[in-house]
Amino acid sequence: MSASTGIAVEVWALPKGDIPDAVARNVYAAVREALANVERHSRARTVSIALTLGKSGLRLTVSDDGCGFSPGTTGRGLSAMKAYFAEMGGDLTVNGVPGGGTTVSGIVPPRALR
């Protein structure tokens, strides 16, 4: 992404252990969609991706320093990301702050990781 857009990407992927293929596919699809939204809409200089695995499940956070968006904004990308997590019994939230960036946070529950 950095080479084609000029947006710096920081990645922290810390899962230790196996992740079921279906979970990996859905999380990857959500990350792709989040990055596509950053590229299309954010005017960000930096985007950070964090993926951790713990007792509470698998947590994904994608955060950018872009223009954010107004509360109540909807779109296909936001709906798709939420659907990927809902399919696994998880939850995903998207918080945009006008002028202050956007953070996508999702959690996949432990039961989906078995």
Side-chain angles (χ1 to χ4, degrees):
M1 180 173 205
S2 295
S4 64
T5 65
I7 302 170
V9 180
E10 302 169 338
V11 178
W12 292 275
L14 305 172
K16 293 183 181 187
D18 293 330
I19 306 296
D21 288 343
V23 171
R25 278 192 302 273
N26 279 357
V27 170
Y28 180 69
V31 169
R32 273 194 344 250
E33 188 60 49
L35 292 177
N37 284 343
V38 169
E39 183 178 357
R40 280 187 220 122
H41 307 296
S42 76
R43 299 190 305 266
R45 292 179 312 213
T46 303
V47 61
S48 301
I49 305 165
L51 189 64
T52 57
L53 179 62
K55 290 180 182 179
S56 64
L58 181 73
R59 181 170 298 281
L60 168 69
T61 304
V62 180
S63 186
D64 71 58
D65 65 354
C67 62
F69 59 89
S70 299
T73 300
T74 60
R76 279 185 318 206
L78 301 178
S79 296
M81 288 186 287
K82 289 179 180 185
Y84 293 133
F85 272 73
E87 185 177 313
M88 301 177 286
D91 188 41
L92 183 125
T93 60
V94 182
N95 295 307
V97 176
T102 300
T103 299
V104 174
S105 300
I107 185 88
V108 178
R111 67 182 176 278
L113 301 171
R114 296 185 186 112

